[in-house]
Amino acid sequence: NNAFDEQSVQRLATTLNKLRGEDRLKLSKLDLTGTQCGVTGARDMIEHGQLRELVLFNNQLGSDGLAQLAPMLRGGHRTLEVLDVGGNDADESGVVKLLEGMMQDADEAFESKLRLLVVGGNKSGLDVEDAAKRLKAKLPGIDVARDKPKKDGDEGGGDRGGAGGGMQFPSGFTQQRMMSE
């Protein structure tokens, strides 16, 4: 567990955004796993223009939090290549709202750099599968790593690699690769 909280993450984002020119840090990857960064902290970091990878795993953002992040991710993202919002206690409808929100404005002029969105560890099902396929059609360069939908009698889904569930990683990605990058 990191020693950051929502206010600490907000202060970090503010400081990073104030730095200009030669003073600007070359920060490309930030792992805020388990920091309780809150939706405001998550939004501040998504808005930070130089990050390529942002891990927001296990921050209890919930369904409402993922829905609040969706407008910031309309059409993808200009700089982020990897965004992990897994393990945030979101139900299936919250994950679907995030994916559907990302589809809005997908035909805008900017080219999205986002190539991997991790939503595993939240509730999943057929609606998430459908939304992920529709997102992929709108933004062909993106892959969505998610839990496999539960089948009747399965205990899986909603956790990273739980019994009967397990993550569906896009081609070329594995959980070990995600952890090591």
Side-chain angles (χ1 to χ4, degrees):
N1 221 1
N2 290 315
F4 278 167
D5 60 8
E6 186 169 8
Q7 287 182 329
S8 299
V9 172
Q10 289 172 337
R11 283 193 300 269
L12 175 62
T14 299
T15 301
L16 291 173
N17 286 325
K18 285 181 181 178
L19 298 174
R20 299 284 181 242
E22 291 180 18
D23 292 333
R24 190 149 182 128
L25 297 175
K26 302 265 190 269
L27 182 65
S28 63
K29 181 178 180 179
L30 185 60
D31 186 340
L32 295 174
T33 297
T35 59
Q36 308 307 313
C37 68
V39 175
T40 302
R43 279 197 328 245
D44 288 349
M45 287 304 168
I46 288 172
E47 287 177 346
H48 184 59
Q50 67 189 54
L51 287 176
R52 286 190 347 227
E53 183 172 345
L54 179 59
V55 180
L56 298 169
F57 183 79
N58 192 26
N59 277 290
Q60 284 72 46
L61 298 175
S63 296
D64 289 340
L66 292 189
Q68 289 179 49
L69 298 180
M72 303 177 63
L73 298 167
R74 287 177 153 176
H77 199 273
R78 293 179 191 279
T79 59
L80 279 176
E81 296 173 12
V82 177
L83 176 61
D84 183 343
V85 292
N88 274 292
D89 297 326
D91 61 23
E92 185 174 10
S93 67
V95 176
V96 169
K97 285 179 187 173
L98 174 67
L99 298 175
E100 287 178 343
M102 291 177 67
M103 289 181 231
Q104 294 180 11
D105 301 332
D107 303 324
E108 290 294 311
F110 81 91
E111 179 182 341
S112 175
K113 302 281 189 209
L114 193 60
R115 61 183 173 83
L116 178 62
L117 175 69
V118 180
V119 295
N122 296 300
K123 299 291 183 204
S124 191
L126 296 178
D127 291 341
V128 169
E129 287 299 305
D130 179 58
K133 286 178 187 169
R134 288 185 285 125
L135 178 61
K136 179 78 173 164
K138 283 274 202 180
L139 296 171
I142 194 168
D143 283 310
V144 180
R146 59 203 179 273
D147 293 324
K148 294 178 183 177
K150 285 197 297 186
K151 296 178 184 168
D152 289 337
D154 267 353
E155 297 281 327
D159 64 356
R160 283 193 169 184
M167 289 284 286
Q168 286 183 320
F169 281 93
S171 59
F173 285 92
T174 63
Q175 185 170 5
Q176 184 173 2
R177 180 173 170 201
M178 281 295 300
M179 300 296 185
S180 68
E181 286 189 335

